[in-house]
């Protein structure tokens, strides 16, 4: 009886539980699923110390089948190496290494040996240490590998290292083309040289005059002038070239030996011919020198004639286009015992001297390139390429207008009165009213008074620089009017120390003492007579040494300052000393412009 009642009780309770489960099946299912999710999450996130990116971490975890019996039961659990990143690009700072990190962790925490080994496919590009720290050295691509020897797991990350472009310029800023030309390719210089992205975008402002393709090749279309612009894809650096398309090729019409005279040489004696090709803008100004009898006199390609034996010979200077000029040379029978001046100066007009040099323009440029010349692009000094240096070394490039004053003879006085010079100096800071000091310095040391004034104006910011207005050195106030000894690294300190050493303790003492220094070291120096701005910058008598400045445009910049003076001082007397390189045309100096 009791048994029957018990069974009846059980059936009733079962019926009630069934109704409860049926009624709450959704809630029970949700609770069960939530419990399972928490359990699985607890298992798979046991490595909570892993330095792994959240998004990447989630991507990697979902690769594992959560319904796999092998994952939870029996044997070694499934394993993997989780990385903080798989693909990255790093930019190098100019001339500096970059530090980065690759985070990695062995999954799951139950792996017996979780030791990770890091390696790089190219240590010259990027090294990685045992902690995942990366030292990036140079541009390139590397594969970074992380391995666990116990499980055999391997994970890889790919690193791209790039060197950004920091500057850009075209090797030529101006170029002449002829309508009959097939064209020419402009070359761009990327800075630094190991920049990763060297792509350049080219365009012409007027394709009706010149076209340019995306390799920088110029094609003349019609006469006129326009700009071709090049822009780097990386950084957007821009450089321009002015292109002048000329209708026809201009040929040489005449050749003149400008120092033609009666020439008699001893055996072994030397004479240097100097030729001028006209017009000055002829496409080919090359001069070919020839001797009618090399047994009597030989001539080099640069016009140097040497006596060989007694007799007569005709020396001819011939243009590649045909025109020529000749001179007869007589060689007597005696040996020359007199030292010959290899760089004679010839007076072509009352105020212009041409000095012939026994080297070609290209030879001169090659020597200058060894001095690492520079130029200013507006953001600072940069190393100048060969074409830029050649442009400034060639006297024919900068010989008109203001630029001709780079050939002004600085050892000749200009005859400017005290009152006229003081009028010019009025309002120019500490230089104001100091005409007497400049004139006295010019007369005492044989230096052009206007050059001294121009030099002082440039170096002192027209009388307003700190050096010009006095700097205390060990309790003594000293002055420096020409920037002598003032180096770019610390101009005030080095310039004032030089002034103290020279005893320039007043503005007038600095004007006169600086003039003496310039005369002694440059203009009237016995061994390095650099009596023009051009010679001070390039020193053709002894190329590559004793140069006053490193900027290729220093002489032409100073020349523009001189022109401003001469515009205000029209009565100034000016003499010129112009270099002529072997095989080159003489620069045309217009004394009236």
């Amino acid at each position: 009886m009791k048994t029957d009642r018990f069974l009846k009780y059980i059936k009733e309770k079962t019926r009630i539980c069934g109704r409860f489960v049926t009624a709450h099946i959704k809630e029970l299912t949700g609770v069960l699923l939530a419990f399972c999710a928490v359990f699985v999450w607890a298992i798979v996130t046991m490595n909570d110390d892993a330095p792994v990116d959240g998004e990447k971490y989630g991507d990697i975890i979902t690769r594992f089948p959560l319904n796999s019996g092998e994952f939870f039961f029996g044997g070694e659990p499934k394993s993997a190496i989780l990385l903080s990143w798989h693909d990255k690009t790093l930019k190098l700072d100019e001339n500096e290494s970059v530090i980065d990190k690759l985070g990695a962790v062995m999954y799951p925490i139950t792996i017996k040996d979780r030791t990770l080994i890091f390696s790089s496919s190219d240590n010259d590009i990027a090294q990685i240490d045992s902690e995942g720290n990366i030292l990036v050295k140079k541009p390139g691509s590397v594969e970074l590998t992380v391995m666990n020897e116990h499980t055999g797991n391997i994970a890889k990350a790919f690193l791209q290292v790039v060197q950004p472009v920091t500057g850009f310029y075209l090797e030529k800023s101006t170029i002449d083309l002829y309508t009959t030309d097939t064209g020419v390719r402009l070359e761009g210089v990327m800075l630094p040289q190991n920049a990763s992205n060297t792509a350049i975008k080219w365009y012409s402002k007027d394709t009706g005059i010149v076209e340019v393709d995306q390799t920088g090749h110029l094609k003349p279309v019609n006469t006129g002038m326009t700009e071709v612009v090049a822009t780097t894809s990386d950084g957007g650096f821009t450089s321009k070239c002015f292109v002048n398309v000329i209708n026809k090729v201009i040929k040489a019409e005449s050749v003149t030996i400008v120092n033609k005279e009666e020439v008699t040489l001893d055996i072994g004696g030397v004479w240097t011919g100097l030729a001028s090709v006209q017009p000055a803008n002829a496409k080919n100004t090359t001069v070919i020198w020839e001797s009618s009898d090399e047994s009597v006199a030989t001539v080099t390609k640069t016009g140097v004639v040497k006596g060989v034996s007694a007799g007569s010979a005709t020396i001819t200077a011939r243009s590649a286009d045909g025109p020529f000029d000749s001179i007869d040379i007589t060689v007597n029978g005696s040996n020359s015992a007199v030292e010959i001046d290899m760089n004679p100066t010839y007076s072509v007009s009352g105020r212009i001297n041409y000095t012939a040099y026994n080297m070609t323009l290209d030879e001169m440029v090659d020597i200058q390139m060894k001095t690492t010349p520079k130029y200013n692009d507006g953001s600072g000094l940069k190393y100048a390429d060969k074409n830029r240096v050649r442009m400034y070394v060639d006297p024919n490039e900068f010989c008109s207008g203001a630029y001709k004053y780079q050939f002004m003879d600085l050892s000749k006085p200009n005859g400017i009165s005290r009152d006229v010079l003081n009028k010019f100096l009025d309002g120019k800071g500490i230089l104001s009213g100091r005409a007497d000091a400049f004139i006295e310095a010019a007369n005492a040391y044989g230096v052009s008074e206007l050059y001294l004034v121009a030099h002082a104006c440039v170096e002192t910011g027209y009388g307003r620089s700190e050096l010009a207005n006095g700097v205390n050195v060990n309790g003594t106030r000293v002055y420096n009017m020409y920037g002598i000894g003032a180096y770019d690294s610390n101009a005030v300190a080095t310039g004032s120390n030089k002034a103290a050493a020279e005893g320039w303790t007043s503005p007038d003492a600095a004007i006169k003492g600086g003039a003496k220094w310039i005369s002694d070291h440059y203009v009237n120096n016995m061994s390095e007579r650099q009596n023009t701005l051009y010679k001070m910058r390039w020193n053709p008598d002894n190329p590559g040494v004793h140069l006053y400045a490193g900027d290729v445009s220093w002489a032409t910049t100073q020349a523009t300052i001189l022109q401003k003076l001469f515009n205000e001082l029209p009565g100034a007397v000016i003499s010129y000393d112009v270099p002529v390189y072997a095989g080159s045309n003489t620069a045309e100096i217009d004394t009236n412009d």
Side-chain angles (χ1 to χ4, degrees), residues 320-495:
D321 290 332
F324 65 91
D325 193 13
S326 299
I327 183 173
D328 293 328
I329 300 290
T330 300
V331 180
N332 61 39
S334 61
N335 290 326
S336 175
V338 179
E339 183 178 351
I340 303 299
D341 183 3
M342 297 297 288
N343 294 322
T345 299
Y346 304 100
S347 179
V348 177
S349 70
R351 293 186 294 166
I352 303 177
N353 287 334
Y354 286 97
T355 301
Y357 289 96
N358 189 28
M359 72 174 74
T360 65
L361 178 62
D362 287 334
E363 290 169 342
M364 174 69 168
V365 172
D366 286 341
I367 295 172
Q368 298 296 337
M369 289 303 297
K370 297 176 182 178
T371 68
T372 61
K374 300 178 181 180
Y375 76 102
N376 195 323
D377 68 350
S379 62
L381 289 175
K382 305 292 178 63
Y383 290 111
D385 62 274
K386 190 172 183 178
N387 286 331
R388 189 181 297 271
V389 173
R390 192 182 197 281
M391 180 171 66
Y392 282 96
V393 172
D394 187 355
N396 288 280
E397 291 286 349
F398 295 96
C399 61
S400 61
Y403 299 132
K404 68 184 178 184
Y405 295 116
Q406 69 170 318
F407 305 117
M408 186 182 94
D409 190 338
L410 305 179
S411 66
K412 299 290 194 296
N414 306 114
I416 298 299
S417 71
R418 171 183 176 276
D419 292 341
V420 171
L421 193 55
N422 264 335
K423 183 178 179 181
F424 173 81
L425 293 171
D426 185 44
K428 293 179 174 58
I430 200 166
L431 303 179
S432 181
R434 301 193 183 276
D436 284 341
F438 283 108
I439 293 173
E440 289 172 15
N443 292 334
Y445 303 114
V447 182
S448 156
E449 64 269 32
L450 291 190
Y451 167 68
L452 293 177
V453 170
H455 192 154
C457 285
V458 171
E459 292 293 344
T460 68
Y462 292 91
R464 292 174 175 80
S465 73
E466 185 176 354
L467 271 176
N469 285 275
V471 177
N472 284 321
V473 177
N474 298 325
T476 301
R477 197 165 189 83
V478 295
Y479 303 79
N480 193 328
M481 296 301 181
Y482 306 106
I484 296 170
Y487 299 109
D488 292 339
S489 58
N490 194 338
V492 173
T494 55

Side-chain angles (χ1 to χ4, degrees), residues 211-232:
E211 295 176 349
V212 60
D213 65 19
Q214 291 310 302
T215 68
H217 185 270
L218 306 179
K219 179 183 177 182
V221 177
N222 205 346
T223 57
M225 177 177 283
T226 189
E227 291 180 29
V228 168
V229 182
T231 304
T232 63

Side-chain angles (χ1 to χ4, degrees), residues 256-261 273-276 325 346-348 354 580 586:
T256 303
I257 298 176
V258 298
N259 57 327
K260 184 181 288 188
E261 56 192 357
L274 181 63
S276 173
D325 193 13
Y346 304 100
S347 179
V348 177
Y354 286 97
V580 182
T586 54

Side-chain angles (χ1 to χ4, degrees), residues 23-321:
H24 298 281
I25 187 67
K26 292 183 179 180
E27 289 84 351
L28 291 171
T29 301
V31 170
L32 178 60
L33 289 175
F35 173 78
C36 292
V38 170
F39 177 77
V40 172
W41 175 84
I43 293 296
V44 300
T45 60
M46 293 178 73
N47 292 336
D48 57 358
D49 61 335
V52 181
D53 180 79
E55 293 182 6
K56 290 291 182 184
Y57 191 92
D59 292 344
I60 294 172
I61 291 302
T62 57
R63 295 176 188 170
F64 295 95
L66 298 181
N67 61 348
S68 170
E70 293 181 3
F71 186 84
F72 296 106
F73 308 103
E76 188 82 18
K78 285 187 178 292
S79 59
I81 299 172
L82 309 183
L83 301 180
S84 59
W85 51 266
H86 291 267
D87 223 327
K88 178 175 276 193
T89 298
L90 290 177
K91 291 184 178 182
L92 282 172
D93 293 333
E94 189 172 6
N95 300 321
E96 292 185 9
S97 299
V98 172
I99 304 296
D100 203 75
K101 185 175 179 66
L102 175 63
V105 66
M106 191 67 213
Y107 165 87
I109 198 172
T110 54
I111 298 297
K112 295 176 183 178
D113 185 349
R114 302 171 66 211
T115 303
L116 298 177
I117 300 172
F118 295 81
S119 62
S120 169
S121 63
D122 192 335
N123 287 323
D124 290 335
I125 296 174
Q127 289 180 337
I128 187 167
D129 65 15
S130 59
E131 301 296 325
N133 298 308
I134 303 169
L135 174 63
V136 178
K137 296 180 178 180
K138 68 177 185 179
S141 299
V142 293
E143 183 180 73
L144 303 175
T145 302
V146 186
M147 182 178 68
N148 180 277
E149 290 185 338
H150 175 69
T151 63
N153 288 107
I154 294 176
K156 295 181 181 292
F158 297 92
L159 177 63
Q160 180 76 23
V161 183
V162 297
Q163 174 65 68
V165 176
T166 60
F168 171 72
Y169 64 89
L170 294 175
E171 289 188 342
K172 291 186 177 181
S173 57
T174 61
I175 191 170
D176 289 337
L177 293 177
Y178 299 89
T179 53
T180 55
D181 285 344
T182 57
V184 66
R185 186 172 181 269
L186 281 177
E187 297 288 347
V189 177
M190 204 80 66
L191 301 174
Q193 292 183 348
N194 65 338
S196 299
N197 185 352
T198 58
I200 302 171
K201 299 176 183 178
W202 299 83
Y203 77 92
S204 169
K205 287 192 173 181
D206 190 340
T207 55
I209 294 175
V210 66
E211 295 176 349
V212 60
D213 65 19
Q214 291 310 302
T215 68
H217 185 270
L218 306 179
K219 179 183 177 182
V221 177
N222 205 346
T223 57
M225 177 177 283
T226 189
E227 291 180 29
V228 168
V229 182
T231 304
T232 63
S233 295
D234 181 7
F237 294 93
T238 296
S239 185
K240 300 177 182 179
C241 178
F242 290 92
V243 182
N244 184 31
V245 180
I246 302 169
N247 189 37
K248 63 178 181 179
V249 174
I250 300 174
K251 293 186 176 182
E253 298 174 359
S254 67
V255 175
T256 303
I257 298 176
V258 298
N259 57 327
K260 184 181 288 188
E261 56 192 357
E262 184 177 340
V263 178
T264 300
L265 299 176
D266 293 334
I267 295 174
V270 174
W271 173 83
T272 301
L274 181 63
S276 173
V277 177
Q278 295 297 324
N281 63 339
K283 185 177 183 181
N284 191 342
T285 58
T286 302
V287 174
I288 303 167
W289 291 89
E290 302 167 343
S291 171
S292 64
D293 190 343
E294 293 193 347
S295 66
V296 173
T298 60
V299 63
T300 69
K301 65 179 182 179
T302 60
V304 179
V305 179
K306 183 177 181 180
V308 176
S309 64
S312 298
T314 300
I315 303 301
T316 301
R318 188 184 307 278
S319 163
D321 290 332

